[in-house]
Structure formats: C-alpha cells, structure tokens
C-alpha cells in the first residue's frame, strides 16, 4: 500500500545527532556527542522519596489531570522564577513534555507554511527540525560572542517579517555562548519595535560555573508581552520525567493549552506531582550547586586538553556554563567527513554542519563534557587529538 | 501586543466536555459527564511496587530514553496483542502520551489543509478537534447498530477521497456501540480497495462485559498494511501515567517516530519502565476482570433506571462494554439548552451535539457509569429523570 503522507513530512529531516547516538550506543566509543547529564549525579533517593510521597496521598493522584499541568508544581515554578526576576502567575505557565514540546506547541500555534523564524547561527538542531516540520524556515542572524548583532537582526526583521525570534541566550546549544546584557536588551527592544515575539529557550541556565555573574533572562527585562520563556527539569533533576514548562503572555499560553489538549490531553501528572514533592522536600539548590562544581571541573579538564593542542586555526570559547564546547577547526577540515574516522578511533563528537541554517560550515564540532568522568575525557580527547592531527597532515597549510 | 497566530488556530474549537468538567469540579454535582475511571479501583499498590522496582535498578533508569519508547514495554505490548490476533513486532509499536497523542501524530503526518477523514457520526470529540487543528474536516458516514454502512462508506470514499477512516469499533465513544464482524471485514475490504488507511482507536476494548463474546480488532483481520491500531493503559491501569501506544505498518510508525522526536523527544520513560514492571509482576488480567465486573454492575444499575422511565422517544442500547450510555431523547428536547438546568439540579451529562460532524443533533446526551458508585448513580439518575420530566412537559407531543 502507498502511504500518502502530508506535505509537511517532506520537509522533515531526521536528527543527525540521534542517528549518531544510535550508532555509538552499540560500540565501545567515548562519546562527547550526546547532550546527556551524567546518570551518576542523578538524585535517585530524592526522586524515589518524591514518588513515595505522591503514592502516600492516595489513589486520586493517579487520575486524569489538567491539560495545563499540576497546579502546585506551576506555583512552585512561578515562585522559583522570581529569583531570576521573572514575575508571572501559575496561570501563565503550561507544563510540557520537556521543553522540546514547548518549542513544538509554540511553533504549531504560530507557523504557517512559508513562515520564517529568526535564529542564531548555529542554533539548536531540534528547534530547526520543528520549524521545518511546519513547513517553515529558520533564518540565521549574524552574531558575535555577545549574541545576535542588532544591525543584522533589524535588517532581517524588515526583510523576512518573521513569526518569532528563537534564542538560547544563556549557555547556548551548540555554541556554549552567553549573551551580554546589552545585547539582550537590544534584541528585546527590536522585537517590541517590530511586534515580534521572542522564544527564549533556557534549558541550561541553572548550570552556571561563575557564581558571581548574573545572566538576566530576556523575560526578566520584558513587561510580560513579548517574551515566551521555556525551561526544563531534565538538566537539573532528571530527564526521564520529561517535565518542562513554558511561561509568558496569557493569550499565548491559553492558545498553547488548547493545542496541547488536542495533542496529548496532558503530560504525565504523576511525574509532575513527584517533581512538586521533590521541590518541596529536597534541597534542589544544593544539588544544583554540586552539579555546577562537577560539570565545571569536567569542562576545565577538556579546556586544558584543548589548550595543549597545537593545531592551527582552532577556535573555541571556554563555556561559562551549560554542557557544550563549540570548536572551530582549520577551514579545510570537514568534521562530517571525519566523523566515521573518529568513531573508528573510539571517540565521537557531533559534526557542526546540521546546526547551521542556510549554508553550513563544515569545520566545527560540538563536544559535551557533562556525561564523561575526567579520566574518560582525558582518554577521549587524546583519541580525538590523534584523529585531528592525522587530518591536519593532509591539508594544505 | 497583537499575536499573529497561525491559520490552524482559527479552526480550533476548545473541548466542550473539558469546559464542562471544569464547571462541575467546582460544585456539588453528580457527574455522568466525564470519561473517568473510578479512582477507588486504581491498583495503587501495584503501581507503587512497579516504581520501586524501577528505582531499584539504578540511576540509569532516569536518563533520556528512546523516542520510540522503552523497548521491553513494547515487547510486552506486542506479546499481549497476539491474544487479540494482532501480530506485530515491538519495532512496529510507538509509545505515546496517551492514545490521544497517537491520533494527533498520525493526523500530523497525514493531513494537509482541506483534507478529509471519514468518521462515524457521532464520534470521539477530541479526534474531531485534532483533525480541525490541522485544517482538515471529519465527514460523517451513516451507520446503524452494527457499524458504518458499507454503501455510504463507499460513496464517501469516492466523493471525498479521504486521507483515512477513523473508527472506534469496540464500545465506541460516545455511542457505546460494538461493530459486527461482518461490518469490520466490509470496511477493511473497502479501505483496501480505495487505498485508504483505517485508524482503529481501541481505548475501551478490554472493558468487556460479556466474556463469551469476541470482538476482533480490525487490525487482526488485516495483513499489516491497512490498519493502524491505538490503545492505552489509561483505562486498564491508571490515567496519570499517560501511556498509550500505536502499532501498524512500519513506514507509518517510522514517520510518526520522526514526528514525535520533534514534538517532544519522548514520553516519560520512567512511567514506561514502571508499566513494564507492572505488567511483569502484577496480575493485570485479574485486575481487568474486576474492573469488568464492577463497571458492568454500574452499567446495569443505570440500565434499570433508564428502563423504568416512561419518557417517549427515549432510545439507547445497553453497552456490552466500555464506559458510556448514549441516550437519544424526544426530538424536541435540546440537551445543550437543558444542560445548565441539569447542573442546577445537581447532575451533569455531556450534551450530544459536539460529537456530531456536519449538522448536529441536539436531542442526545452521553452518560458515563464508570466513575460513580451505584448509590450515586441512583441519586444522579433520579435528579436527571426529574429534569427530563420537567422538560418533556413543555414540548408538544
């Protein structure tokens, strides 16, 4: 039988990263490819304890829940977000199946075929996939280490009349970048001027290495009209519960809520209740503090090894948080072509090309440092440097 | 700020049922409106035990999982479905956030704006909402107590060239109907002849009252090419875990898997692992047997009370399973108009009109009998009959 799929399926590109992860999980490869937190740091006892508390409340906890999500957890999130100077009520929060679903639902209520979304370049691969699945297109805005360049943003706002601007301003994926406060303000100003919403994706904001610095979410600079903010418990608690949230203007949250009702009625309410119990009875701050310490140490191990290499044209910025190094190599090195060689040598990265919109660059890759212990980072980096040194031999310098 | 939503939002109608449920949960009303199982029958100990087993396996259980869902649970489902003569591999199964997500993902990969889906009339409200959200339309096929009428189906296959046929052939929602075997075969034959997929939605199939009868899923009559089958653990275990599945042709499952990756990466894998443990260590069959007994008793209480009323033009069929009575009243009774009167009198139903595609009928409602104990059914039905008797006084007979 021939299956006559919808036109949007033609625009669908499967995730290169997940295909790679499948290959890697089969072999004995040290992987810097995924975006995984380290299992060994998961607060298993606290999670177990949280579920026990939910079960102790009785059978009604296992009934259908609200599409918008478990009220007390939304209250907790609203309260916690005030620390970041984001002030919204529980009513302005929708609980989602990870922040990925927030990106999807927002795209679904915003994007008609042919629409555009302005993005950093490179940007989060799986967001680009979502836009494509609605027959829409990401348009790259030029940026430097401080974030999007206002001039280019303004030009593209005029040219493309985008439906929204998608940004990861704090410890971005893949570039591991932090936007300056000025740039955040400037982008917000332009978004307001051109009447375009900003989708601020902040999955990594809590994984911050320099405790004396403050990175104000763009949502905290807004009057509640222009910025939709999404984050997740996947990186701070555990991924398996798939609980994220999105908060912003009420009209948008309501429309997303209606859409979620059709999409899946609601996400697991047992998981949401457990997260509420965990936030109430567990010292999440101390836990996050520990994650910061451990992940910072691992980042430093990787940084030192990168600093020791003598490969020409190597560019990277030491991450101030998050999970990734973004490394640019000599422009004649093609990391997509080199990938199978790396895996053969027992190490994996994510080639940079799929993170770009428009013309991809082939001379970059993304390295994750959160999943592997320092010894493995050492071992894997030594394999990787070996592969790179071999590759550099064959280029014209 | 003005939010410029996508065109598909214009086609979106919020669920009347859920709006009603919100009203009811605030007052002291006996509700036959929802589609809820009874909390008191939830196997809380077994669920708790299942989570404990997952936690005992270690921290890796809390890591990200596969988009397709936890493999061992898919194996268990594949094995269990062989009892219904549906023979498919775990590879042909996708785990979803309730079967609602299966309907949504399938619609997403199939429906372009302007497309049509053939449905029973009345049919499951939230499926109609999904089709509308993709700017597509349900087209009602005439049916009798045995299911869709083949002649009308064939005519509409020719006229509308639909993208698929959506059916709930076993204990349908809202009509509580069971299709005959002949009709199942006939609809499958026509689907094959016209190269159109059947989406068989079977959330209630396990809640069967007459143990000697067999209701073959349409998927069991197929060679694996034409029928996509979806069901859920919400009715047999508990709803809070939001775990459903969809199984069928590999090309379709793969496309849905890709789409789910963009939509939410994966559903709660902790819940999926717990369900696997529950299916392994708990006597689910004995539990379902108990549900059948209790729900059948409640259905019979409602049936007797309906039989006792002397209202002219009352039509209903005693359900052979599932959760609902569908009651048609004298054609001058408008159940939508009467609804607020019913709630004032302390009882709620779901008005029938939103379940229809095309021209709605206003003289029917849906009653749920699974959520209330027999005493409450007695009390609520006496209130409801009172409201109806008053309404009948004002019509011209």
């Amino acid at each position: 039988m021939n299956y006559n799929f919808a036109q949007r399926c033609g625009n669908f590109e499967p995730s290169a990263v997940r295909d790679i992860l499948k290959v890697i999980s089969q072999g004995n490869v040290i992987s810097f490819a995924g975006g995984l937190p380290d299992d060994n740091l998961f607060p298993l006892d606290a999670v177990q304890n949280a579920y026990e508390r939910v079960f102790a409340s009785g059978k009604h906890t296992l009934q259908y829940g609200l599409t918008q999500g478990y009220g007390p957890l939304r209250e907790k999130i609203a309260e916690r977000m005030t620390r970041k100077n984001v002030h919204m009520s529980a009513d302005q929060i929708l609980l989602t199946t990870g922040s990925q679903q927030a990106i999807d639902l927002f795209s679904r209520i915003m994007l008609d075929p042919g629409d555009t979304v302005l993005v950093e370049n490179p940007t989060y691969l799986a967001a680009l996939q979502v836009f494509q699945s609605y027959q829409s297109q990401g348009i790259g805005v030029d940026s430097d280490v401080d974030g999007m360049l206002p001039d280019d943003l303004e030009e593209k706002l005029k040219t493309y009349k985008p439906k929204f601007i998608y940004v990861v301003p704090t410890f971005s994926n893949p570039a591991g970048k932090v936007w300056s406060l000025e740039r955040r303000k400037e982008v917000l100003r332009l978004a307001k001027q051109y009447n375009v919403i900003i989708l601020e994706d902040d999955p990594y904001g809590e994984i911050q290495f320099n405790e004396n610095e403050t990175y104000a979410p763009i949502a905290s600079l807004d009057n509640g009209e222009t910025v939709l903010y999404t984050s997740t418990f996947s990186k701070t608690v555990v991924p398996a519960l798939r609980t994220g949230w999105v908060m912003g203007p009420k009209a948008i949250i309501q429309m997303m809520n209606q859409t979620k009702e059709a999409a899946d009625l609601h996400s697991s309410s047992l998981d949401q209740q457990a997260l509420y119990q965990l936030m109430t009875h567990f010292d999440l701050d101390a836990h996050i503090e520990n994650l910061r310490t451990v992940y910072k140490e691992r980042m430093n191990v990787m940084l030192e090894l990168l600093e020791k290499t003598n490969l020409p044209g190597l560019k990277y910025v030491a991450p101030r948080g998050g999970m990734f190094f973004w490394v640019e190599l000599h422009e004649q090195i093609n990391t997509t072509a080199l990938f199978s060689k790396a895996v053969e040598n027992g190490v994996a990265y994510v080639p940079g090309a799929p993170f770009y919109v428009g013309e991809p660059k082939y001379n970059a890759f993304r390295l994750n440092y959160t999943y592997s212990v320092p010894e493995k980072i050492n071992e894997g980096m030594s394999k990787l440097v070996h592969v790179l040194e071999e590759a550099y031999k064959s280029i014209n310098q």
Side-chain angles (χ1 to χ4, degrees), chain A:
Chain A
M1 191 164 167
N2 258 343
Y3 305 114
N4 182 13
F5 293 124
Q7 283 173 27
R8 67 176 69 83
C9 295
N11 286 54
F12 204 90
E13 291 173 22
S15 156
V17 175
R18 293 199 43 105
D19 286 352
I20 288 166
L21 288 176
K22 272 180 207 162
V23 174
I24 291 164
S25 68
Q26 288 155 17
N28 189 22
V29 173
I30 295 175
S31 177
F32 303 135
L36 304 183
D38 184 353
D39 310 8
N40 294 305
L41 301 172
F42 290 159
L44 176 63
D45 291 345
V47 171
Q48 177 158 11
N49 189 264
Y51 279 85
E52 277 162 14
R53 284 177 192 274
V54 177
F55 294 133
S57 314
K59 292 182 174 184
H60 67 277
T61 57
L62 300 175
Q63 189 55 277
Y64 281 105
L66 295 176
T67 299
Q68 196 166 357
Y70 186 58
L73 179 58
R74 284 184 285 119
E75 297 283 354
K76 278 275 174 205
I77 291 168
E79 186 192 313
R80 194 173 168 89
M81 287 301 298
T82 61
R83 301 184 188 183
K84 292 184 190 275
N85 278 315
V86 178
H87 298 276
M88 297 193 201
S89 67
D91 230 33
Q92 290 175 273
I93 296 176
L94 173 69
L95 300 184
T96 52
T97 303
S99 48
Q100 182 70 30
Q101 192 184 36
I103 300 171
D104 183 63
L105 291 174
F106 183 59
S107 299
R108 185 161 164 175
I109 67 163
M110 295 304 292
L111 297 177
D112 288 309
D115 279 345
T116 57
V117 179
L118 298 188
V119 299
E120 294 162 272
N121 203 11
T123 190
Y124 175 49
L125 183 55
L128 294 178
Q129 276 181 272
V130 172
F131 309 151
Q132 283 163 6
S133 83
Y134 292 107
Q135 298 163 271
S136 295
Q137 201 190 344
I139 302 287
V141 175
D142 293 342
S143 57
D144 61 16
V145 287
D146 290 324
M148 278 183 178
L149 296 172
D151 286 353
D152 193 54
L153 175 61
E154 181 154 22
E155 197 188 306
K156 282 168 180 160
L157 282 165
K158 285 181 191 162
T159 309
Y160 292 100
K161 301 187 181 9
K163 275 297 187 75
F164 59 93
I165 305 167
Y166 171 77
V167 295
V168 190
T170 309
F171 322 132
S172 64
N173 175 5
K177 191 187 286 183
V178 180
W179 287 30
S180 69
L181 181 61
E182 289 63 33
R183 217 53 83 69
R184 290 169 195 244
K185 286 180 177 167
E186 198 59 12
V187 167
L188 178 61
R189 188 186 66 73
L190 287 167
K192 283 190 179 296
Q193 185 181 329
Y194 288 88
N195 200 39
V196 172
I197 302 161
I198 295 171
L199 175 57
E200 179 176 27
D201 188 7
D202 188 26
Y204 310 108
E206 301 264 17
I207 312 296
Q208 173 179 338
F209 299 150
N210 306 325
E211 58 187 44
N212 298 326
E213 297 187 6
T214 304
Y215 313 116
I218 303 178
S220 72
L221 311 170
D222 183 29
N223 61 350
E225 276 198 338
T226 310
V227 181
L228 192 70
Y229 174 97
T230 179
S231 188
T232 177
F233 292 103
S234 293
K235 274 69 180 179
T236 51
V237 184
V238 298
L241 313 192
R242 302 292 303 125
T243 302
W245 72 90
V246 55
M247 59 203 302
K250 220 163 173 175
I252 293 177
I253 294 297
Q254 277 171 354
M255 190 60 84
M256 289 175 75
N257 191 55
Q258 280 189 1
T259 301
K260 183 168 167 63
E261 187 180 324
D264 63 13
L265 203 58
H266 64 84
S267 301
S268 170
S269 55
L270 181 56
D271 294 351
Q272 292 171 4
Q273 292 171 82
L275 276 167
Y276 167 74
Q277 292 296 342
L278 184 136
M279 286 182 82
T280 307
H281 297 281
F282 174 63
D283 190 347
L284 185 57
D285 290 330
H287 175 67
I288 290 172
E289 196 51 50
N290 182 49
L291 292 180
R292 290 171 174 179
T293 307
V294 175
Y295 289 156
K296 183 181 182 179
E297 185 197 331
R298 293 179 186 184
M299 182 278 290
N300 278 325
V301 170
M302 197 173 264
L303 177 63
E304 271 177 44
L305 293 167
L306 279 168
E307 282 171 346
K308 270 189 213 155
T309 65
N310 281 317
L311 299 168
L314 213 63
K315 277 192 271 184
Y316 52 85
V317 176
R320 287 182 276 170
M323 302 171 70
F324 307 110
F325 260 102
W326 179 250
V327 182
E328 290 182 46
L329 306 164
H330 188 285
E331 60 184 14
Q332 283 181 50
I333 300 283
N334 182 321
T335 59
T336 304
L338 199 62
F339 179 67
S340 58
K341 180 77 70 182
V343 172
E344 271 170 39
N345 279 269
V347 63
Y349 53 76
V350 184
F355 294 97
Y356 288 97
V357 293
E359 193 62 38
K361 290 186 185 172
Y362 288 96
N363 63 328
F365 54 54
R366 193 190 74 179
L367 300 178
N368 167 274
Y369 48 76
T370 58
Y371 186 65
S372 306
V373 294
E375 302 77 65
K376 284 283 173 194
I377 293 178
N378 257 301
E379 193 186 331
M381 286 300 288
S382 125
K383 289 171 196 278
L384 182 58
V385 169
H386 171 73
V387 171
L388 291 178
E389 281 169 351
E390 290 297 309
Y392 267 79
K393 279 182 193 165
S394 64
I395 63 176
N396 313 313
Q397 295 177 32

